[in-house]
Amino acid sequence: MIDVAPEERTVELGTGLRYHVVTWGAADAPPVVLVHGFLDHAWSWASVATRLAAAGRRVIAPDLRGHGDSDRVGAGGYYHFFDYVADLDALVDALGLGQLDLVGHSMGGTVSAYLAGTRPARIRRLALLEGLGPPDGSGQLDGLPARTAGWIDGWRRARAGGLGPALADLDDAVARLRRHDPRLAPDLARWLAEHGTRRDPDGALRWKHDPLHLTQGPYPFRRDHAEAYWRAITAPVLLVDGAASTIRLAPAEAAARAAALRDARAVTLPDAGHMMMRHQPAALADALLAFLG
């Protein structure tokens, strides 16, 4: 029986940051990289990753920049989608992965699709878990100057706020996770909160993610721009939705986006919300294994 106990390591990237990476499975098994979503971290994949590793895959789950135990950008830096793309590309290089399978959830799906279009030869198969981007902002262009002003002001406020607001205790963190995800089981919520918080030098408990993430970026998501990357993807793509998700794309919008992909198929997981890897890890792992082969 394969050892599916996780291992942690720090990887120096060509982009100048250090990434915290969790791996499961044999080092010589076919690699699959799992990319988490906004304000999440690598440990959210644990139940899925264990199943994939037991089926003979090497599973690699990084914390994206400013999330989990990976580096924050530091003074003068910000978080743009293509910063994550460059990091992910550098991680593939640093780990010497060659061609790989890529799975991205939510924001991590958007990042994964951009990478798959940018480096199509690197990606054998791509799975996007409600990861074909947020709502289209093409109709919001008249408001760009005001949005940019808000971005600058928010950036300054976030940096002036230092480490960010403190949590009362771990129970507070658990309650916040479950408030945003009512389907999240209490025991799993506590485990995720333990991995997603840290005790700062001032003694306060805080989320590990950089509070700068909570500011709105200077420009909206543009479907017409994203489609240029989707059309460049050569790998087969699996699109996964949670049947109980409250933020999945409307059917017509989802179909229009999927049409930009050369080879796409879709599956919906029953009794799963947006955070499907937490709600239905076995069903999600089965769907991924059937697709990845």
Side-chain angles (χ1 to χ4, degrees), residues 166-254:
L167 296 159
D169 50 28
L170 191 64
D171 288 338
D172 182 26
V174 171
R176 291 174 187 237
L177 285 176
R178 298 199 69 214
R179 186 159 60 246
H180 290 289
D181 182 8
R183 292 176 175 270
L184 181 58
D187 289 349
L188 179 55
R190 180 164 294 276
W191 187 82
L192 291 171
E194 289 170 350
H195 283 83
T197 57
R198 69 182 188 185
R199 189 69 63 176
D200 282 323
D202 63 357
L205 185 70
R206 293 184 176 88
W207 297 114
K208 287 181 177 179
H209 59 254
D210 190 337
L212 190 58
H213 286 304
L214 299 177
T215 61
Q216 185 181 50
Y219 44 79
F221 174 80
R222 291 282 300 272
R223 188 180 114 184
D224 55 346
H225 291 181
E227 283 181 347
Y229 294 88
W230 299 340
R231 288 192 295 268
I233 295 171
T234 56
V237 181
L238 178 68
L239 304 173
V240 186
D241 282 329
S245 175
T246 59
I247 64 172
R248 60 192 292 197
L249 293 168
E253 178 68 9

Side-chain angles (χ1 to χ4, degrees), residues 74-101:
Y78 196 71
Y79 299 95
H80 299 283
F81 267 108
F82 287 95
D83 295 328
Y84 301 120
V85 176
D87 287 347
L88 196 53
D89 186 65
L91 179 67
V92 173
D93 281 339
L95 296 178
L97 296 181
Q99 195 177 52
L100 66 141
D101 294 329

